[in-house]
Amino acid sequence: MDSCQQCDQCDHGEEQYCRNGRTDSYNSPDRIDGELTRGGYAKHLIAREEFVLKMPDGLDVAKAAPLLCAGITTYSPLRTWGVKQGSRVGVIGLGGLGHMGVKIAAAMGAHVTMISRTPDKQQDAAELGAHAFLLSTDAEEMARAADCFDLIIDTVPVDHDINPYMPLLDIDGTLVLVGQVGPIGQPTTLPLIFGRRRIAGSLIGGIAETQEMLDFCAEHGVLPDVEMIRMDQINEAFDRLDRSDVRYRFVIDMASLEAAA
C-alpha cells in the first residue's frame, strides 16, 4: 500500500482516504513504476518505511495475516464509533469479516450480538465470543430487539436490504457497511429521521490504526480462525468460497510456491 503522504488525509493518518489516490496491496498500479501490485500472490514486496508494520511478539504470523484485512476492516469502525466496555454491538453476517468483528468487539468489552438469517451459526457465534444471537428472519425476535444497539457492523458482501436492521439501532445509533461494495436495497428514511440513526461506511484503516489493531490483538489474544492451504489449492479454495465452505479465512503457505517450482 502507498499514498501521496502530502494531503490532509495522509497527514491525519488516514492514508486509506488519500485525496490523490491510494495504492492498494493487490491489483493496484504502483505509484513509482505503474506495475500492478500482487498482494499475497507476490514472492517479494517493496514498501516505503511509512507503510511497514511491526508484528508484535507472540503473534502467530500465519494467523495474523488476515488481521491486515478482516482485522482492520472491523477494528476501524469499532474504534471510530467509540466502542467500549458495555457498548451494544451487533454484527451482521458470520464470515471472514463477521467473525473478526465478533472477536474484536468482545475483546473491547462490548455486549456482542450475532445477527444472522439462519440459526446454524448460533453455536459458532457463541464460541467466537458473541453474547447473544438474533435471527433476522424471525419477525418477533427482530421486534423485541428494537432500539437495542449502539452500533451494527454489516459485513454482508452482496446486495441486500438494510431496512430490517435500522429499527434495531437506538437513538444516535449507526449501521456501518463494510462488506458490500456497490448497490444495496433502497433504504427508507423513516427510521433515520425518527430515531436520529445513521448509515455509514468504513474502509480498512490508516497505518497507525493498523499497528494499534495488531498490538490490541496481541494483547488480547485475538486471532482469526484460519485454514492453511498450498499454492496449488487456490482454485479449490475459490470453489469452496462459492459454497461458503470456509471457517473463516484461507491463508496461503508461501513456502509451497518454492516447492511447486
Side-chain angles (χ1 to χ4, degrees), residues 54-68 100 103 213-228 249-254:
K54 180 183 184 298
M55 194 62 63
D57 293 337
L59 207 58
D60 183 328
V61 175
K63 290 186 176 182
L67 292 178
L68 302 177
M100 285 308 305
K103 287 189 174 189
M213 177 274 303
L214 288 172
D215 295 339
F216 175 89
C217 288
E219 179 184 354
H220 295 274
V222 175
L223 286 169
D225 290 10
V226 306
E227 180 180 340
M228 186 78 72
R249 283 275 169 165
F250 288 123
V251 173
I252 302 169
D253 180 2
M254 293 305 290

Side-chain angles (χ1 to χ4, degrees), residues 70-71 74-75 78 89 91 95-107 112 153 155:
T74 49
Y75 182 87
L78 291 168
V89 174
V91 178
L97 289 173
H99 94 289
M100 285 308 305
V102 169
K103 287 189 174 189
I104 294 174
V112 184
I153 306 292
T155 73

Side-chain angles (χ1 to χ4, degrees), residues 38-237:
R38 296 303 182 191
Y41 295 107
K43 291 178 66 176
H44 304 285
L45 296 175
I46 299 174
R48 67 163 84 201
E49 62 180 341
E50 293 88 352
F51 287 84
V52 175
L53 296 159
K54 180 183 184 298
M55 194 62 63
D57 293 337
L59 207 58
D60 183 328
V61 175
K63 290 186 176 182
L67 292 178
L68 302 177
C69 180
I72 186 59
T73 297
T74 49
Y75 182 87
S76 186
L78 291 168
R79 288 284 283 116
T80 298
W81 276 274
V83 169
K84 59 185 183 302
Q85 187 76 33
S87 295
R88 301 164 298 169
V89 174
V91 178
I92 305 173
L94 191 60
L97 289 173
H99 94 289
M100 285 308 305
V102 169
K103 287 189 174 189
I104 294 174
M108 289 179 171
H111 183 277
V112 184
T113 300
M114 181 69 232
I115 305 171
S116 179
R117 297 181 68 253
T118 58
D120 58 330
K121 299 290 184 69
Q122 186 166 2
Q123 182 61 37
D124 281 0
E127 292 174 357
L128 292 167
H131 304 92
F133 186 87
L134 176 59
L135 189 61
S136 62
T137 51
D138 187 318
E140 292 185 2
E141 279 194 34
M142 291 289 281
R144 287 194 295 270
D147 307 319
C148 281
F149 297 100
D150 304 304
L151 181 72
I152 296 176
I153 306 292
D154 184 343
T155 73
V156 178
V158 295
D159 184 6
H160 60 289
D161 184 7
I162 64 171
N163 288 311
Y165 306 111
M166 298 308 297
L168 303 179
L169 294 167
D170 205 347
I171 295 171
D172 284 328
T174 305
L175 174 78
V176 184
L177 300 167
V178 298
Q180 166 65 345
V181 180
I184 58 170
Q186 185 72 31
T188 176
T189 63
L190 286 174
L192 304 180
I193 293 172
F194 286 92
R196 205 164 62 197
R197 302 176 177 99
R198 310 177 189 88
I199 302 170
S202 182
L203 174 70
I204 55 174
I207 296 303
E209 188 173 59
T210 303
Q211 185 65 63
E212 176 185 300
M213 177 274 303
L214 288 172
D215 295 339
F216 175 89
C217 288
E219 179 184 354
H220 295 274
V222 175
L223 286 169
D225 290 10
V226 306
E227 180 180 340
M228 186 78 72
I229 62 171
R230 301 186 310 273
M231 188 65 71
D232 62 3
Q233 293 177 301
I234 289 176
N235 289 337
E236 177 188 343

